[in-house]
Amino acid sequence: MVNCLIVGHGAREHVIGESLVKGGANLYAYMSFKNAGLEDLSKDVKIHSEMDFREIIKFAKDKNIDFAIIGPEAPLCVGIVDALEKGGIPCASPKIEAAQLEGSKIFMRQLLTKFNIQSNVMSKRFSSMEGVKNYIDEIGEENIVVKPDGLTGGKGVMVFGDHLFSKKDIIDYCQELVDKRSPFLLEEKLDGEEFTLQTFVDGKNVIPSPLVQDHKRAYENDEGPNTGGMGSYSMEDHLMPFITQEDVDIALEDMRKTVKVLKVETGAEYKGLLYGQFMKTAKGLKIIEYNARGGDPEVMNILPLLKTNFVDVCWAMINGNLNTLNIEFEKKATVCKYLAPEGYPVSPKRDEPVKINKKKLENIGAKYYYASVYREGENIYTTTSRAMGILGIADNLEEAEKISEKGVGCVEGKLFHRKDVGTLKLLQKRIDHMNSILLK
Ligand code: AMP
Ligand code: GLY
């Protein structure tokens, strides 16, 4: 049997761990705090910093790990895979240079610009205030997005109209970044509908999974502050009603080109899950960002549908032979709703008990993934981030949404969720928005 190590502590890692176990692996989990789901699935766990590579290598060697997969971006972007591989542990995740597609937005845009990738977005790099005002005037203040270069946990990107409301706001934010010595991009603001395309990559081959749409705003009807994502859905035909197969082909083609030119430019082969976030706009398909990992929550929408053995997929990503596998997904719809502590993301109520009726969840047929909750004895408690992902899978979106919503009803605590994620009403709003943009 193969011994697999998962690094990370959230719902994303829980579903990855579940898929490895389903594929026949002995699972070992290394995490900064105890995910109850991973603990239940694993032969053994270690609770320690996910940035302490020496400890991770020690744990992996001790457990005779055959390969590792890394969930979160922070260790990926500072070279966890390089360290583990030097220690003799192969990884189904990207090395540091490849992970810069997520770790440096400036690197990503410059690479796409240099090689004329068609879904690229107009942008310019700054590390001082010199030229900032001119650039704002050139593209118009209402068309500006400010993006700090490094990882910001989804909190650094500021969009005109959402977070910035005047030229002064833009300049003040740029000045704040200059004062922090953080280089940044000024990028053209786009309008459209976003979707996520997650792929398996082995250095050359880029294999797609069903499209997913995430919901960033905290409250129903896309109101309230931005979050890590309050839920996500996918459709039984693996597309979105407002995204055609042609759109997906363009997105996939650009992801393939990116992997290719990354190697040309840096010598680095991209291996692992590669997440592309795209926006369909009146000007065509545009790439918003790459993530060097599975999406959270979006990976919960795809891995449970994977018909191919995930352990085999990981080996193929490591060995560069994904082309020898027939990667298939069930033709089903999924809806994932995140339960978050009351007050999240501004002032989340932490250390509150969460009661889960597992029997009822199983009867309903809903799957559940532990996110940022911890277990003490038999009890589960909230932290300051999203608590649990509840997933419904069915032949169509309506049924999947019902299962997910009923599943949410099996969890008690000072929690809230977005009832509208995956509903036909919200889907129609997306379709109408897309149509209005394309008609402009
Ligand atoms: P990122 O951290 O790059 O994913 O950006 C966070 C969010 O900002 C994205 O999910 C988008 O909703 C929004 N965003 C990023 N770039 C742009 C852009 N060029 N135009 C409009 N919205 C954007
Ligand atoms: N859902 C967005 C992310 O994983 O970063």
Side-chain angles (χ1 to χ4, degrees):
M1 247 170 127
V2 51
N3 293 335
C4 297
L5 175 70
I6 172 82
V7 177
H9 60 264
R12 172 182 48 210
E13 289 75 27
H14 186 179
V15 72
I16 292 173
E18 179 191 68
S19 305
L20 290 169
V21 170
K22 191 172 147 205
N26 285 322
L27 186 69
Y28 294 86
Y30 182 106
M31 46 198 160
S32 56
F33 73 91
K34 203 184 274 175
N35 177 302
L38 279 175
E39 186 183 28
D40 292 345
L41 286 168
S42 297
K43 297 274 175 216
D44 202 358
V45 304
K46 175 148 179 98
I47 313 302
H48 191 69
S49 162
E50 289 156 19
M51 303 298 257
D52 187 343
F53 302 162
R54 228 188 265 172
E55 273 306 309
I56 301 174
I57 294 169
K58 215 165 107 196
F59 181 67
K61 288 209 159 150
D62 205 36
K63 302 298 171 192
N64 282 320
I65 292 300
D66 293 295
F67 72 78
I69 180 161
I70 317 302
E73 60 276 24
L76 284 167
C77 291
V78 291
I80 187 172
V81 171
D82 306 66
L84 285 177
E85 293 199 345
K86 242 184 229 154
I89 300 132
C91 295
S93 296
K95 288 193 188 176
I96 186 166
E97 276 189 304
Q100 295 318 305
L101 283 180
E102 171 167 9
S104 169
K105 295 181 200 310
I106 292 175
F107 168 78
M108 186 279 244
R109 284 286 174 227
Q110 287 181 341
L111 184 74
L112 269 54
T113 305
K114 180 167 177 184
F115 290 92
N116 284 320
I117 306 288
Q118 68 166 314
S119 58
N120 194 21
V121 180
M122 191 168 78
S123 68
K124 193 163 178 185
R125 171 195 196 278
F126 294 91
S127 53
S128 74
M129 293 305 286
E130 199 185 320
V132 166
K133 280 187 187 154
N134 283 349
Y135 194 72
I136 298 172
D137 291 340
E138 192 184 317
I139 64 174
E141 63 192 44
E142 66 288 358
N143 298 321
I144 291 276
V145 179
V146 187
K147 294 189 168 185
D149 186 40
L151 295 177
T152 56
K155 292 179 187 83
V157 174
M158 299 278 178
V159 181
F160 190 91
D162 284 346
H163 318 94
L164 308 167
F165 301 95
S166 65
K167 188 170 168 183
K168 182 176 180 304
D169 285 355
I170 300 171
I171 289 170
D172 287 351
Y173 185 47
C174 293
Q175 186 65 56
E176 197 183 311
L177 295 172
V178 170
D179 292 345
K180 280 199 281 192
R181 297 185 192 285
S182 164
F184 58 93
L185 286 173
L186 291 184
E187 186 167 292
E188 179 192 5
K189 181 187 165 182
L190 305 163
D191 191 12
E193 275 297 322
E194 287 180 57
F195 66 91
T196 302
L197 174 56
Q198 297 167 97
T199 59
F200 300 118
V201 186
D202 68 355
K204 308 176 280 288
N205 301 292
V206 181
I207 312 293
S209 66
L211 298 188
V212 185
Q213 194 177 44
D214 188 10
H215 297 72
K216 286 216 185 272
R217 298 301 191 109
Y219 313 134
E220 267 142 48
N221 225 5
D222 299 319
E223 282 170 11
N226 271 342
T227 69
M230 291 301 291
S232 48
Y233 66 93
S234 71
M235 310 287 292
E236 62 275 19
D237 64 358
H238 300 168
L239 298 172
M240 298 271 134
F242 43 86
I243 304 293
T244 63
Q245 185 59 48
E246 224 170 48
D247 295 324
V248 181
D249 292 344
I250 295 172
L252 196 55
E253 182 58 27
D254 277 3
M255 290 183 79
R256 291 195 166 118
K257 277 191 198 148
T258 303
V259 167
K260 207 167 159 185
V261 301
L262 176 76
K263 186 157 181 218
V264 171
E265 186 70 1
T266 67
E269 284 205 321
Y270 194 100
K271 291 187 179 215
L273 278 156
L274 177 61
Y275 167 120
Q277 191 186 358
F278 290 87
M279 193 186 273
K280 184 169 176 171
T281 76
K283 295 181 190 165
L285 214 63
K286 299 287 174 185
I287 177 113
I288 298 287
E289 68 166 350
Y290 279 123
N291 289 332
R293 53 179 173 82
D296 188 356
E298 294 102 315
V299 85
M300 284 183 269
N301 299 87
I302 61 160
L303 287 186
L305 297 185
L306 184 63
K307 290 207 273 185
T308 318
N309 184 319
F310 186 56
V311 173
D312 294 343
V313 174
C314 289
W315 275 130
M317 290 195 282
I318 293 166
N319 294 326
N321 57 5
L322 272 173
N323 54 324
T324 60
L325 285 184
N326 185 20
I327 296 186
E328 284 187 307
F329 293 86
E330 286 181 65
K331 290 273 181 192
K332 296 210 182 234
T334 64
V335 174
C336 178
K337 303 205 187 205
Y338 250 130
L339 281 152
E342 280 175 13
Y344 172 80
V346 182
S347 50
K349 287 207 169 93
R350 63 184 303 164
D351 305 317
E352 291 288 341
V354 178
K355 264 198 169 154
I356 306 159
N357 189 335
K358 292 186 188 169
K359 205 134 211 101
K360 213 169 145 200
L361 272 160
E362 272 152 32
N363 285 340
I364 290 165
K367 295 172 77 70
Y368 55 97
Y369 299 99
Y370 294 89
S372 292
V373 282
Y374 63 96
R375 177 149 71 187
E376 247 176 43
E378 284 304 296
N379 302 320
I380 302 284
Y381 298 91
T382 57
T383 65
T384 55
S385 192
R386 297 166 298 180
M388 292 192 72
I390 310 289
L391 181 73
I393 303 177
D395 290 334
N396 59 54
L397 191 71
E398 216 174 346
E399 287 305 314
E401 194 275 331
K402 274 188 199 145
I403 294 170
S404 167
E405 192 59 38
K406 274 191 198 156
V408 166
C410 304
V411 184
E412 279 176 50
K414 289 192 172 150
L415 302 165
F416 78 102
H417 74 288
R418 274 184 62 167
K419 287 198 180 66
D420 61 349
V421 170
T423 58
L424 295 182
K425 192 172 164 213
L426 192 58
L427 186 67
Q428 190 58 49
K429 192 178 148 193
R430 303 273 187 256
I431 297 170
D432 294 344
H433 178 225
M434 192 77 256
N435 285 340
S436 75
I437 281 170
L438 296 181
L439 280 175
K440 261 184 208 163

